[in-house]
Amino acid sequence: MVSMSAISEALQKGKADEVKNLVKQAVEAKVDVKKILEEGLISAMDVIGGRFKRNEIYIPEVLIAARAMHAGMSVLEPLLVAAGVKMIGKLAIGTVKGDLHDIGKNLVAMMYKGAGFDVVDLGVDVASDKFVQASDDGAQLLGLSALLTTTMVQMKGVVESLKEKGSKAKVIVGGAPVTQNYADEIGAAGYAADAASAVEIGKSLLK
Ligand code: B1M
């Protein structure tokens, strides 16, 4: 019988094929899909998030673990949909207009997926109206990433457009030039300096 800790350990080591096989075996052994998701995959990504935050591991290790998470999720996703298992919440994330940097944004998106969120990746160079549309489409959280001092100003426009449309979505901003002060100044609901904190902030904003 496959144990959840075996899945978790394989994920933490970034062994994508092993994670996929173990998840398949667990599904075949009729282990509850939600249990595999929460105790096998999400808990392992929590460990990875914590280690990344404490600088015990770095971006490559996080990306390798995230790839293993995807491998496990590729087996579980159709079953979760069929079982109607509710995701924690919905996040739409993108790099703001004029900005093509996506490594940090992808990392944040992966950590959210790992935490059990439904994630819509809007890509890079995302105009304000696309964020507004994502809010209309049910995203409770909107993640805005910017790496350039010249593009971070776009975040203000997004917050204002959402306000004008009466959107209830909460905006989280991040990226190298962005600060808590800037987030406060433009009226964003949250700011995170790194991908692991972004997930913590997102969870707390949904409470
Ligand atoms: Co560009 N670039 N770049 N670049 N680039 C920087 C950002 C720069 C600091 C380099 C420098 O001059 N020292 C500089 C910006 C200066 C400034 O504005 N202050 C710069 C510049 C100037 C440019 C161009 C204008 C260069 C040119 O063409 N003259 C150009 C702009 C293109 C455009 O966007 N329109 C450009 C282009 C590029 C590449 C295409 C070559 C490439 C991007 C490839 C890609 O992303 N697919 C690139 C890269 C790779 C970088 C550097 C080297 C690395 C960025 C990165 O990926 N870091 C960068 C210099 C540097 O940072 N050392 C630089 C790793 C990533 C994991 O970190 O994105 O910060 P980061 O994400 C972190 C946190 O910030 C946070 O979590 C992540 C980690 O946990 N985070 C969030 C990020 N988003 C978040 C969202 C959240 C919460 C947290 O909530 C939603």
Side-chain angles (χ1 to χ4, degrees):
M1 175 69 138
V2 179
S3 72
M4 295 305 102
S5 60
I7 296 177
S8 171
E9 273 162 37
L11 194 151
Q12 290 173 49
K13 288 181 188 150
K15 296 186 172 170
D17 290 343
E18 194 177 327
V19 170
K20 194 169 182 176
N21 284 335
L22 289 172
V23 169
K24 269 188 194 159
Q25 284 173 35
V27 169
E28 278 157 16
K30 305 255 179 290
V31 178
D32 180 26
V33 195
K34 203 163 173 263
K35 183 179 163 96
I36 305 173
L37 175 70
E38 285 170 3
E39 294 174 30
L41 302 179
I42 293 181
S43 66
M45 277 309 278
D46 279 347
V47 174
I48 291 291
R51 286 191 196 144
F52 179 57
K53 237 184 128 181
R54 294 189 297 275
N55 292 324
E56 291 166 11
I57 56 168
Y58 299 96
I59 290 163
E61 287 101 321
V62 178
L63 293 177
I64 290 167
R67 196 190 52 175
M69 173 87 192
H70 280 301
M73 281 304 286
S74 71
V75 179
L76 287 191
E77 245 162 14
L79 303 169
L80 288 167
V81 173
V85 171
K86 272 208 148 198
M87 297 300 224
I88 289 186
K90 186 171 177 179
L91 165 91
I93 186 165
T95 305
V96 296
K97 183 139 192 66
D99 201 322
L100 304 175
H101 295 86
D102 68 356
I103 299 170
K105 183 264 297 170
N106 292 346
L107 207 52
V108 175
M110 283 174 185
M111 295 297 257
Y112 265 93
K113 273 190 192 159
F117 278 80
D118 178 8
V119 175
V120 180
D121 190 342
L122 302 171
V124 295
D125 191 21
V126 179
S128 182
D129 56 343
K130 293 245 175 71
F131 286 107
V132 174
Q133 184 61 51
S135 148
D136 291 346
D137 293 342
Q140 302 123 305
L141 298 175
L142 297 175
L144 277 53
S145 180
L147 263 286
L148 300 171
T149 41
T150 48
T151 57
M152 62 188 267
V153 290
Q154 295 290 331
M155 292 174 162
K156 187 167 188 243
V158 177
V159 173
E160 281 167 1
S161 298
L162 288 162
K163 214 185 254 174
E164 264 169 38
K165 306 270 174 191
S167 164
K168 292 214 163 54
K170 308 253 168 71
V171 173
I172 303 173
V173 293
V178 182
T179 60
Q180 180 68 58
N181 273 351
Y182 183 67
D184 295 342
E185 191 186 308
I186 65 170
Y191 158 77
D194 58 66
S197 324
V199 175
E200 284 169 20
I201 306 263
K203 282 183 185 166
S204 70
L205 286 174
L206 288 185
K207 272 185 192 148

